[in-house]
Amino acid sequence: QRERNLATQAFGSAGHQNGAFDGLCGGRDGHSGTIRSAMTTPQSLTTALHSRLTQAIQAQGGWIGFDTFMSQALYTPGLGYYTNEGAIFGTMPRGVKGQGSDFVTAPEMSPFFGKALAAQVAQRFVHKLIVLISEFGAGSGALALQLLEALGEQIRSYTIVDLSGSLKALQQQTLSAHTGKVRWVSELPATFSGVAVGNEVLDAMPVKLLARVKGIWHERGVSLELSQSEPALVWRDQATGLRPPVEIPGAYDYVTEIHPQAESFVRTLGERLAQGAVFLIDYGFPEGEYYHPQRHMGTVMCHRAHLMDANPLADVGLKDITAHVNFTGVALAAQDIPDFGVLGYTTQARFLMNCGLLSLMEGAPMAERSMAQKLIMEHEMGELFKVIGFFKGEPWDALGFSQGDRTHTL
C-alpha cells in the first residue's frame, strides 16, 4: 500500500520530497534564487544537488535506498536531471557550448512513429467513439504533435501529465499550433477516460537495487565517504528481506532491480481510468529474461551526450538514470484492478508494422526511411523496445497486437 501511495504522489503532490518522483514538479515549488543561480553552469548544478543529497543522506542516518537517490537525482526541483534547464532530447550530442542533447527517443527519430501509433489510437476511437488522449511524460512534445497532426479533428482534447517545468515550456513551444486542444496538468486526474500513452516513462521511475553478495541478499543504497575534503557518494549495502520476484539459482554475486513504483503506477492508472486503453512503450524484458542468471550486473544505466555509463553516482543531475522494465511485473500489477487487463504485448517493431509503418514509409525520401527503419531494426529499437497495452472495460482485438503478440511470454 505504501508503494501505491508513493506512485499516486508521483502525479499528485507537486513538492513532496519523499514521493516516487521526489518533487517532480520543477518550476513550481522550491525555485529560490539559489536554485536558479545553481542552474547556470553544470558544475554549480552538480555541487548544489550533491549538497542536497548529502543533507538527505545525513537526515536518514547516513544511508538512503537507491530508489530515493534516483528520485532526487532526476526530479529535485530545479536541480534534478529532468527539472533543470539542460537539453535532453535530440539526435546530436551536446556541443562545447551546451547545444545538442543526451539521447534520442522514437518520436524525435522519426515522425512515422507517431503516425503509426495514431492508427492504433484511431482504432480505439472507432471502437468506442472516445476522442480523448492523455500522455504521460511527453518529453519534447514530438509524439503529441505527431498524434495531433495525424488524427486532426478526431481528437477533442489532449492532456499532458508532465511535472517538469522546463519540459512543459518546450512542449508548449512545440505544440503552439494546437493550444486550443492541449492542456497541461501536474497530477493524474482522479478519473479519466480515453486513450493514454506513455513513451519511455516506466524506465525513468525509481527502482530498488538488490545485491546478492556471498549468497546473502542486500538492498544497495547510497552513503557518504567522509574521509575526503567533501563528502563523496558511495555504495553501501544493507541486509534486507526483499527478493527478486523469481529465484536466482546459485550463490554467486548478482545485482538486479525490483520495480514497486512502476507497478504501483500501473495500478493507479487502472483505478483511475474509467473506460479506455493505455499503451506504454519502453525497453525491457519479460520476467524470465529480466532475471536471467547471466544478467548478473542489473540494468541500471546512465545516458549523457549519446553515450552510456554505469555509474549513477558521478555527475549527478547532468545525466539520465534509467532501468529496464520488467513487463511481467507491470502486467501482473494490472490484474490487481477489476476490469483492467492486458490488451497485448509485443515488440516495438511488430507493433509499428501492424499499425502500418511500412506503408507510411513508402514514397518517403531515403533519409526519412533510413531513420524510420531504426524503429524496427532488431539491433536498433525494434526488438529491445516493447509495447504493452491495457484495457478498462471490454477488451477488443487491437491492431498493434494483431500479429506477433507475446503476451504468453509474460
Side-chain angles (χ1 to χ4, degrees):
Q1 181 62 48
R2 175 177 177 274
E3 295 298 344
R4 295 179 70 181
N5 291 340
L6 289 178
T8 302
Q9 291 164 1
F11 287 102
S13 179
H16 185 55
Q17 289 298 303
N18 293 316
F21 281 71
D22 261 0
L24 197 143
C25 190
R28 292 184 61 188
D29 295 331
H31 272 261
S32 65
T34 300
I35 290 180
R36 281 194 293 269
S37 64
M39 295 164 62
T40 56
T41 66
Q43 183 61 42
S44 59
L45 186 150
T46 303
T47 301
L49 183 54
H50 188 280
S51 176
R52 184 72 65 89
L53 283 164
T54 297
Q55 294 173 13
I57 293 170
Q58 291 173 337
Q60 295 298 318
W63 184 92
I64 57 175
F66 180 75
D67 54 339
T68 300
F69 167 82
M70 182 174 173
S71 178
Q72 296 203 19
L74 296 180
Y75 304 113
T76 295
L79 300 175
Y81 177 75
Y82 281 109
T83 61
N84 66 56
E85 296 178 354
I88 296 177
F89 306 99
T91 57
M92 298 298 293
R94 293 181 190 267
V96 294
K97 295 183 179 180
Q99 303 96 333
S101 59
D102 287 329
F103 57 86
V104 63
T105 62
E108 281 87 22
M109 184 173 292
S110 171
F112 294 124
F113 177 82
K115 292 179 180 179
L117 180 58
Q120 176 62 88
V121 176
Q123 183 200 18
R124 179 57 183 165
F125 287 167
V126 171
H127 185 73
K128 285 291 184 181
L129 297 179
I130 295 174
V131 290
L132 308 171
I133 297 180
S134 299
E135 182 179 357
F136 306 105
S140 67
L143 177 57
L145 180 63
Q146 292 159 16
L147 290 174
L148 285 161
E149 291 182 343
L151 294 170
E153 294 304 314
Q154 295 181 77
I155 299 179
R156 191 172 76 205
S157 70
Y158 197 109
T159 301
I160 293 177
V161 185
D162 199 321
L163 307 183
S164 170
S166 57
L167 289 180
K168 178 181 176 181
L170 177 60
Q171 294 157 13
Q172 289 174 328
Q173 181 180 356
T174 302
L175 302 173
S176 59
H178 300 276
T179 54
K181 291 184 178 180
V182 183
R183 70 185 184 110
W184 283 261
V185 298
S186 58
E187 58 186 64
L188 189 65
T191 183
F192 68 101
S193 297
V195 178
V197 297
N199 182 55
E200 295 195 45
V201 172
L202 296 178
D203 68 80
M205 293 190 174
V207 296
K208 287 185 177 292
L209 269 183
L210 300 182
R212 184 175 64 190
V213 181
K214 297 181 179 179
I216 299 175
W217 283 102
H218 302 77
E219 181 177 357
R220 179 155 292 176
V222 181
S223 186
L224 299 171
E225 174 59 62
L226 302 176
S227 61
Q228 304 181 34
S229 58
E230 294 185 0
L233 301 173
V234 295
W235 296 111
R236 198 175 101 196
D237 296 343
Q238 290 189 354
T240 182
L242 296 173
R243 295 291 186 274
V246 297
E247 183 177 356
I248 312 296
Y252 57 90
D253 290 358
Y254 192 97
V255 177
T256 192
E257 307 88 23
I258 56 176
H259 309 74
Q261 293 184 20
E263 293 163 11
S264 297
F265 173 68
V266 170
R267 292 189 191 98
T268 301
L269 287 178
E271 290 172 340
R272 300 193 180 188
L273 180 64
Q275 184 184 27
V278 179
F279 296 96
L280 301 175
I281 305 105
D282 224 314
Y283 43 88
F285 313 100
E287 191 173 80
E289 294 180 46
Y290 198 105
Y291 299 103
H292 192 281
Q294 294 182 0
R295 202 179 303 282
H296 62 93
M297 297 180 68
T299 70
V300 169
M301 191 61 59
C302 304
H303 302 267
R304 185 182 184 188
H306 293 258
L307 299 174
M308 296 186 296
D309 73 81
N311 184 9
L313 305 189
D315 298 327
V316 181
L318 299 181
K319 58 186 181 182
D320 192 17
I321 305 173
T322 73
H324 286 43
V325 177
N326 171 17
F327 282 100
T328 302
V330 297
L332 291 174
Q335 295 182 5
D336 293 340
I337 308 303
D339 300 320
F340 190 58
V342 175
L343 191 62
Y345 167 74
T346 191
T347 64
Q348 176 174 290
R350 176 51 61 187
F351 183 87
L352 293 178
M353 288 190 290
N354 288 342
C355 291
L357 176 66
L358 298 181
S359 297
L360 291 170
M361 292 167 55
E362 292 180 2
M366 178 62 71
E368 294 183 14
R369 280 185 285 153
S370 178
M371 294 300 289
Q373 286 175 349
K374 293 184 178 183
L375 301 174
I376 58 176
M377 295 174 71
E378 287 190 2
H379 65 282
E380 293 281 355
M381 303 177 75
E383 178 66 27
L384 178 60
F385 280 71
K386 312 295 194 306
V387 183
I388 190 166
F390 302 98
F391 67 91
K392 187 66 174 286
E394 292 295 326
W396 79 100
D397 294 328
L399 175 67
F401 307 111
S402 57
Q403 297 184 47
D405 190 352
R406 297 187 182 183
T407 304
H408 64 283
T409 67
L410 292 173

